[in-house]
Amino acid sequence: MQLASIIPDERLVELSNAEIARYSRHLLLPEIGIEGQRRIKSARVLLVGTGGLGAPLALYLAAAGVGTIGLVDFDFVEVSNLQRQIIHGTKDINRPKVASAKDRIKSINPDCHVVTYNTQLNSKNAPDIIREYDVVADGTDNYPTRYLINDACVLLGKPTVYGSIFQFEGQASVFYARQGPCYRCLYPAPPPPGLVPSCAEGGVIGVLPGIIGTIQAAEVIKLIVGGADSLVGRLLLFDAWQMSQRELKLEKDPNCPICGRHPVINELIDYEEFCGLKPSADDIPVDGISAVELKARLDAGEPLQLIDIREPHERAIVKFPGAKVVPLGQIARRIDEFDPAIDAVFLCKIGQRSIFAIRALQQAGYKGKLLNLKDGVNAWAREVDTSLPQY
């Protein structure tokens, strides 16, 4: 769908001779030209997330000459980020991601104005932050923030350039309720908690966020310049392993609760609760045990059932001695293999999937004591046996 530029004419600023030289390859494109580059310079783009998707977004938008780039992130650079988050370097480990990203952006384009928000986007601060920008690029990796960004942008009349990645597959689209469907039209409700693993648990090939993030950057530029066929009303699906792509047509849902004919959402909500990530009053509490506490109990010779629910390729990275292997999907039907008289400790990488294993057993009626190893086998490698790798 071809859209007019989202940058109003009255906001356009002039280009200096130095900028004409810097962006000359853009100026030679009749679709961009002087006017398009002026729009790029006048644009204000907010990037939510400076990780895998946010990295190429920030790099290419800065190089393209976007006048103001806002960065929202509350995370710190970790060594495991460097396989794909190319805006950060080894020297940036333990730095706030927004600080590292700002330094890299300024090294590419000193004229780019960078505004950093070293905070988590939430229902309270999202309207005030997003209101200041022309377009929002969603580089997040969780459903609550995706719905939050969508709803805030719909209510404020802003377009969202969406991207998501998992393992070898990525998606990209533009959600702009004024012109087409929004994120809720595509996904009216989030998947059940635990059904879709995060990249930290499921993995991602390092080049994939570069591909999807660059597609997002192209869509941002097209919205700014105008006159191009955008991904409004289209969902691009990309598979890096098969090197294939396909496209789905998206329709606006007339019954969408926020952008449909009769919207019922007129303010931001509690998105953790909406996505089922807040414990229900009916949930049985999940007890945890730290790596140090587990080591003490093992050293004392206490009888324990250690249950490793990780996948075979994860166990190939680091094994947990003495643990019984029961894949997550088999937990409930193998309930008879557990002894209710002996405490059972469940292990995964970071202590998230093991919670769902415990929930499955609780729902199946298991009466024994169930414990979740807090922060998973990575905590064991970090706090107990430092000879083991963290992954």
Side-chain angles (χ1 to χ4, degrees):
M1 177 184 294
Q2 287 197 356
L3 301 177
S5 169
I6 60 173
I7 309 300
D9 291 347
E10 60 269 20
R11 277 210 1 236
L12 295 188
V13 294
E14 298 298 330
L15 301 178
S16 67
N17 288 345
E19 289 170 324
I20 289 174
R22 177 182 282 258
Y23 307 119
S24 62
R25 299 306 185 269
H26 272 177
L27 306 184
L28 294 173
L29 297 171
E31 294 83 356
I32 297 180
I34 286 284
E35 181 180 334
Q37 192 62 44
R38 289 175 64 203
R39 293 186 186 279
I40 294 172
K41 180 181 178 181
S42 304
R44 300 188 292 250
V45 179
L46 181 69
L47 310 184
V48 185
T50 52
L53 295 171
L57 268 162
L59 294 174
Y60 276 100
L61 293 180
V66 170
T68 300
I69 294 178
L71 304 173
V72 182
D73 206 317
F74 64 99
D75 206 356
F76 292 81
V77 179
E78 300 177 1
V79 67
S80 62
N81 301 150
L82 303 182
Q83 162 254 13
R84 64 203 177 281
Q85 299 180 16
I86 57 171
I87 201 166
H88 312 296
T90 302
K91 66 178 177 59
D92 297 312
I93 292 173
N94 295 326
R95 293 185 70 199
K97 285 186 177 180
V98 291
S100 170
K102 180 177 181 178
D103 287 350
R104 186 73 178 96
I105 289 171
K106 299 297 282 187
S107 73
I108 293 172
N109 189 345
D111 295 328
C112 180
H113 177 54
V114 182
V115 184
T116 60
Y117 305 89
N118 190 15
T119 185
Q120 184 173 12
L121 197 70
N122 57 49
S123 299
K124 293 182 179 179
N125 62 24
D128 289 338
I129 293 175
I130 291 175
R131 188 177 288 112
E132 300 300 316
Y133 294 88
D134 302 302
V135 58
V136 177
D138 182 355
T140 62
D141 61 357
N142 66 87
Y143 288 98
T145 311
R146 287 173 185 161
Y147 282 99
L148 167 64
I149 292 170
N150 176 79
D151 291 1
C153 285
V154 172
L155 294 175
L156 293 169
K158 310 284 186 179
T160 303
V161 179
Y162 160 78
S164 69
I165 53 172
F166 180 65
Q167 294 188 337
F168 299 98
E169 299 178 354
Q171 302 180 355
S173 188
V174 175
F175 299 115
Y176 195 14
R178 289 181 174 176
Q179 303 288 340
C182 77
Y183 183 74
R184 283 183 183 268
C185 296
L186 175 61
Y187 298 115
L195 182 64
V196 181
S198 66
C199 289
E201 295 181 296
V204 61
I205 189 170
V207 298
L208 179 64
I211 296 168
I212 301 299
T214 304
I215 290 172
Q216 288 180 271
E219 290 301 307
V220 170
I221 292 172
K222 288 156 56 180
L223 286 170
I224 293 169
V225 173
D229 287 324
S230 80
L231 283 177
V232 171
R234 297 187 289 157
L235 180 67
L236 182 67
L237 305 173
F238 178 78
D239 187 322
W241 198 247
Q242 301 297 327
M243 198 50 68
S244 63
Q245 69 180 45
R246 57 196 179 98
E247 188 178 292
L248 301 179
K249 184 177 180 181
L250 303 180
E251 299 286 351
K252 194 176 185 71
D253 180 2
N255 298 314
C256 176
I258 193 165
C259 78
R261 296 187 185 125
H262 305 288
V264 295
I265 298 175
N266 52 30
E267 62 182 5
L268 303 183
I269 61 175
D270 186 329
Y271 294 89
E272 294 284 331
E273 182 177 353
F274 173 68
C275 293
L277 298 179
K278 281 192 171 179
S280 165
D282 298 328
D283 287 340
I284 301 172
V286 172
D287 294 325
I289 184 171
S290 71
V292 173
E293 290 169 337
L294 176 59
K295 175 68 162 56
R297 293 184 65 172
L298 291 173
D299 288 346
E302 292 187 34
L304 292 171
Q305 302 176 89
L306 302 177
I307 313 300
D308 190 340
I309 68 165
R310 295 175 301 149
E311 299 297 322
H313 58 275
E314 292 183 86
R315 298 195 303 276
I317 300 171
V318 55
K319 294 179 173 59
F320 200 95
K324 178 183 179 70
V325 175
V326 184
L328 177 57
Q330 301 176 17
I331 288 290
R333 68 173 180 264
R334 292 174 63 176
I335 189 172
D336 293 338
E337 298 181 24
F338 305 108
D339 184 351
I342 302 175
D343 291 359
V345 180
F346 284 77
L347 323 167
C348 68
K349 178 190 173 186
I350 57 175
Q352 293 295 322
R353 284 169 291 169
S354 47
I355 292 177
F356 297 109
I358 290 174
R359 292 271 187 230
L361 279 180
Q362 290 174 336
Q363 293 168 6
Y366 186 78
K367 300 303 182 184
K369 181 74 170 178
L370 301 171
L371 297 169
N372 177 47
L373 178 60
K374 299 175 183 176
D375 298 324
V377 296
N378 272 355
W380 184 269
R382 184 171 59 249
E383 300 170 12
V384 176
D385 187 352
T386 56
S387 69
L388 298 177
Q390 299 178 53
Y391 67 102

